[in-house]
């Protein structure tokens, strides 16, 4: 308990509460103050709870808190399993009730905030079923459920974006890095532009290069279109093959279908359907109806007390004993005495087998229909998505191809292992040669130092390296110039080829463009006519819908009025018939018949009640007369009981004093003996 209080005080002293409590001050809070603290915590979770509890009735406060705690799925501790006791403790601000609530709330404030926020939108309204029979209310309720489901999806997407999305700092870092890369690219472009400006006719070369890039992009797009068309052609071929297979299967099924087999199959299906309709389904309906009737009967009966439950348990025990006795009697009797017992058993076994087989057949049919539906859906998905279905021969070819690739992979892996081993040997050789080279360099430097020409070998190596670099640069420069000239020639030749290839296409494209313009103009005119016609039809449709709606409302009102009038008519006819019957009975000369009239019955009932009232008044009079002496006798018995109790206490005290005196006397005698 102290740990619980420590946690509560620690959390209340933090943000956002800032209560500045300690254990003593918090434990000494009054019930109203403790309830106000609880209300402040609930207001942090749900801002609608931010109220002063002194401004509302205690019942309203407890009802509001109780509703919010139920929405937050708070479960009281084991000592408050009774809801009324928990509610009473919450009304009085009892510490054993409020402290566990605060401890539970303060441990999970963020989670409860989220739950309270979602509860405003996800707790569905409880609409009675009789109101949902109205079409308008049912449609609105259906829209409300769709909006709730949409909110759930949007909230999940928002949570996923919050969980897996980038933060603002990361986005800023990415933007800064992209800006730096942009600056570097701009600088690089400027450097390349400065280099290219020194070359003659560079502008023409740039234009040719841009045209080449455009043509390459167009070539890539044409290649993609070609590949897409090939894929579409392949998919169409696959669909054609599937349709041919289905057609073949259907033809085979039609060829195998003889009239006798079809008639036999239909007869079997008719027998099964007739059995289901006449035997199995009525039994199921009767069983369900009896179960519903029994449940309705149980639900309509009032709540039973312990005495009634005990009586029912005794009756159940008696019935169980009787059933056991009947079973023993049936077991003692010889079943062969009854000639029909064997046939009844066989008939029951056959009926059970028949029901089991019918259920298996029904399940098999449902499974076949579900599999057929799934197969159709998958075939449609395959046809729409363009997924290739691999047949058995294609799968065998694929397996053989994969085996060949596996053999090649193993060979390549072996070659890689050999190359890795050779690489290790060469690496070791390089290390040995490098060590020897360093040793020779050190020896050469020592000899140069002895002869007084230290650094001669390094200078000579540097000169050789610089000359080699210069020759490489010259060669590279020449190669680049040659490559650039060859590239320009290739670009010019490619441009001329593209122009020659595109000239007939351009000639064909010109009349098509003109035709496209004419068709588009005609399309716009037709579209304008269609829009005007559609608008007129839409307005007429809306008017007709409004008229139909009003007619339906009037029809429903008239139907309601008609049914109401019919009901009133039937009630009036029944009352009139009862009055006529009563008059016939009242006018009848037969005294036995007149006794059956409602008037005679009510007169008899009134006489019985009057006699019962007289008896009760007499009993009341007797009770009032004997009340004074009886109360006096009760008081005398109570006084007698008190006197007897006093005597009992006096006797007990006397016995205890005698026993203490005996103990003291015995101890004194023992001392004298010593």
């Amino acid at each position: 308990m102290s740990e619980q209080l420590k946690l509560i005080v620690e959390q209340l002293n933090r943000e956002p509460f800032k209560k500045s409590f300690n254990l003593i001050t918090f434990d000494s809070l009054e019930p109203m103050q403790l309830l106000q603290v609880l209300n402040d915590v609930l207001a942090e979770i749900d801002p609608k709870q931010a109220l002063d509890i002194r401004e509302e009735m205690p019942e309203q406060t407890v009802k509001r808190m109780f509703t919010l705690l139920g929405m937050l799925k708070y479960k009281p501790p084991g000592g408050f399993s009774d809801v009324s006791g928990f509610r009473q403790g919450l009304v009085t601000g009892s510490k054993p009730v409020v402290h566990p609530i605060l401890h539970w709330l303060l441990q999970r404030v963020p989670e409860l905030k989220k739950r309270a926020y979602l509860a405003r939108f996800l707790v569905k309204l409880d609409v009675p079923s009789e109101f949902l029979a109205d079409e308008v209310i049912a449609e609105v309720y259906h829209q409300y459920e769709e909006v709730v489901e949409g909110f759930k999806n949007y909230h999940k997407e928002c949570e996923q974006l919050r969980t897996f999305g980038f933060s603002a700092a990361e986005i800023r870092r990415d933007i800064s890095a992209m800006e730096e890369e942009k600056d570097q690219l701009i600088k690089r472009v400027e450097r390349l532009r400065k280099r290219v400006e020194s070359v003659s006719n560079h502008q023409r070369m740039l234009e040719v290069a841009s045209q080449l890039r455009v043509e390459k992009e167009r070539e890539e797009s044409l290649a993609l279109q070609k590949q897409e068309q090939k894929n579409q052609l392949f998919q169409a071929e696959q669909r054609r093959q599937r349709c041919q297979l289905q057609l073949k299967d259907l033809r085979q099924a039609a060829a195998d279908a003889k009239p006798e087999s079809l008639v036999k199959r239909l007869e079997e299906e008719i027998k099964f359907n007739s059995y289901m309709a006449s035997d199995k389904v009525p039994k199921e309906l009767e069983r369900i109806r009896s179960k519903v009737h029994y449940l309705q009967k149980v639900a309509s009966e009032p709540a039973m007390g312990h005495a009634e439950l005990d009586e029912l348990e005794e009756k159940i025990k008696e019935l169980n004993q009787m059933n056991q006795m009947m079973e023993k009697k049936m077991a003692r009797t010889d079943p062969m005495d009854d000639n029909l017992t064997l046939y009844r058993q066989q008939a029951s076994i056959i009926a059970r087998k028949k029901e089991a087989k019918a259920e298996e057949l029904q399940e098999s049919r449902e499974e076949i229909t579900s599999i057929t539906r799934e197969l159709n859906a998958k075939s449609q998905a395959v046809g729409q998505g363009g997924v290739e279905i691999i047949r058995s021969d294609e799968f065998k070819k694929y397996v053989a191809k994969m085996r060949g690739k596996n053999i090649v992979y193993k060979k390549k892996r072996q070659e890689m292992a050999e190359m890795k081993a050779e690489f290790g040997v060469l690496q070791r050789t390089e290390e040995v040669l490098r060590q020897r080279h360093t040793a020779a360099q050190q020896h050469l430097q020592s000899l140069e130092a002895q002869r007084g020409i230290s650094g001669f070998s390094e200078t000579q190596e540097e000169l050789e390296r610089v000359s080699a670099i210069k020759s490489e640069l010259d060669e590279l420069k020449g190669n680049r110039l040659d490559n650039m000239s060859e590239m320009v020639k290739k670009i010019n030749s490619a441009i001329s080829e593209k122009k020659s290839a595109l000239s007939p296409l351009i000639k064909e494209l010109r009349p098509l463009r003109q035709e496209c313009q004419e068709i588009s103009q005609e399309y716009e005119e037709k579209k304008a006519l269609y829009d005007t016609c559609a608008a007129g039809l839409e307005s007429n449709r809306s008017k007709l819908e409004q008229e139909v709606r009003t007619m339906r409302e009037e029809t429903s009102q008239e139907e309601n009025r008609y049914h109401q009038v019919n009901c009133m008519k039937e009630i009036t006819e029944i009352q009139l018939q009862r009055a006529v019957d009563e008059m016939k009975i009242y006018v009848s000369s037969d005294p036995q018949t007149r006794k059956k009239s409602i008037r005679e019955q009510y007169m008899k009932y009134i006489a019985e009640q009057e006699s019962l009232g007289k008896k009760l008044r007499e009993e009341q009079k007797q009770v009032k007369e004997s009340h004074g002496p009886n109360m006096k006798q009760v008081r005398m018995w109570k006084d007698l009981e008190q006197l007897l109790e006093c005597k009992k206490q006096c006797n007990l005290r006397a016995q205890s004093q005698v026993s203490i005196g005996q103990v003291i006397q015995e101890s004194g005698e023992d001392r004298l003996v010593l």
Side-chain angles (χ1 to χ4, degrees), residues 293-436:
H293 179 69
Y294 176 72
L295 292 174
Q296 288 177 353
K297 185 178 178 182
V298 171
S300 62
E301 288 182 357
M304 295 184 180
H306 291 286
E308 294 176 348
L309 290 173
D310 293 336
E311 290 179 1
L312 289 175
E313 287 179 356
E314 290 177 358
K315 289 181 180 179
I316 290 167
K317 288 179 181 178
E318 291 177 358
L319 291 173
N320 289 330
Q321 291 176 0
M322 290 174 66
N323 288 329
Q324 290 176 1
M325 291 171 66
M326 291 292 293
E327 289 176 357
K328 290 179 181 178
K329 184 178 179 181
M330 290 174 69
R332 284 196 297 268
T333 58
D334 190 3
M336 294 302 292
D337 293 341
D338 191 2
N339 295 324
L340 298 176
T341 304
L342 181 62
Y343 299 106
R344 288 198 188 104
Q345 291 177 356
Q346 291 178 356
S348 62
I349 291 168
I350 291 168
R352 284 197 294 271
K353 287 183 179 180
K354 190 176 181 181
E355 290 178 357
K357 293 297 180 183
E359 289 177 358
E360 289 178 2
L361 181 59
Q362 188 69 19
E363 290 176 358
S364 301
R365 286 189 174 183
E366 291 176 357
E367 187 176 359
I368 288 168
T369 54
S370 63
I371 290 169
T372 307
R373 198 180 301 112
E374 187 177 358
L375 180 62
N376 293 329
K378 287 186 177 180
S379 62
Q380 290 177 3
V382 166
Q384 293 176 1
V387 181
E388 181 182 357
I389 299 176
I390 300 175
R391 294 191 295 273
S392 60
D393 52 352
E394 294 179 356
F395 183 71
K396 289 178 181 178
K397 291 179 182 178
Y398 176 73
V399 170
K401 186 178 178 182
M402 292 303 295
R403 285 176 181 170
K405 287 185 178 181
N406 191 13
I407 294 168
V408 174
Y409 166 72
K410 288 180 180 179
K411 288 182 180 179
K412 296 295 183 184
R413 189 172 64 181
Q414 187 176 2
E415 290 178 1
M416 285 179 65
E418 293 175 356
M419 291 175 71
K420 284 181 180 179
E422 187 176 358
F423 174 73
V425 173
L426 292 173
Q427 193 174 7
R428 178 60 183 164
T429 305
E430 184 184 3
E431 289 179 359
V432 172
L433 292 174
R434 190 177 285 113
Q435 290 176 0
R436 291 181 181 178

Side-chain angles (χ1 to χ4, degrees), residues 498-510:
K498 295 290 182 182
K499 282 182 179 179
S500 61
L502 291 172
S503 58
L505 296 175
I506 292 169
K507 290 179 181 178
E508 293 177 0
L509 186 62
R510 285 172 184 170

Side-chain angles (χ1 to χ4, degrees), residues 141-295:
Y141 189 73
H142 182 64
Q143 292 177 0
Y144 165 72
E145 289 181 343
E146 290 179 352
V147 170
V148 170
E149 293 297 329
F151 174 77
K152 287 181 182 178
N153 297 327
Y154 290 138
H155 181 70
K156 287 180 182 177
E157 292 177 2
C158 180
E159 290 296 326
Q160 290 176 359
L161 290 173
R162 286 178 180 174
T163 306
F164 302 105
F166 296 101
S167 62
E170 292 179 355
I171 294 171
R172 290 194 190 95
R173 285 197 295 270
D174 294 338
I175 291 170
S176 61
M178 291 170 69
E179 288 178 351
E180 290 177 359
E181 290 179 0
K182 181 181 176 183
D183 295 336
Q184 292 176 3
L185 290 172
I186 290 170
K187 291 178 182 178
R188 191 177 296 174
V189 169
E190 290 294 331
R191 286 198 299 270
L192 292 173
R193 188 175 293 169
K194 288 179 182 178
R195 288 183 185 178
V196 173
E197 285 177 355
S198 60
V199 181
S200 60
N201 199 11
H202 67 280
Q203 192 67 30
R204 177 63 181 166
M205 292 173 67
L206 288 173
E207 291 177 358
V208 171
S210 63
Q211 291 177 2
L212 177 63
R213 185 173 63 254
V214 171
E215 293 297 329
K216 282 186 176 180
E217 290 176 355
R218 186 177 178 187
E219 184 179 1
E220 290 177 356
S221 65
L222 290 172
L224 289 173
Q225 290 179 4
K226 184 179 178 182
Q227 186 65 32
E228 288 177 358
Q229 290 177 358
K230 284 183 179 179
N231 291 333
Q232 292 175 1
L233 180 62
F234 179 74
Q235 293 168 10
E237 185 66 24
Q238 291 288 332
R239 286 196 294 271
R240 186 181 67 82
Q241 291 177 1
R242 285 196 300 273
C243 292
Q244 286 181 354
L245 289 173
Q246 291 177 1
L247 181 61
K248 186 178 178 181
D249 294 337
L250 291 172
R251 284 176 179 173
Q252 288 178 357
D256 295 337
K258 295 180 180 180
E260 294 82 4
S261 61
L262 289 173
V263 169
K264 188 176 180 181
R265 194 183 307 164
L266 288 172
E267 286 178 354
E268 291 177 355
E269 190 171 356
I270 289 166
K271 286 180 181 178
F272 174 73
N273 290 330
S274 62
Y275 167 72
M276 292 291 291
S278 63
D279 193 2
K280 186 173 177 59
V281 175
K283 287 182 180 178
E284 291 285 335
L285 286 173
E286 188 63 29
R287 183 175 59 81
I288 293 168
R289 284 172 183 167
S290 62
K291 186 176 180 181
V292 170
H293 179 69
Y294 176 72
L295 292 174

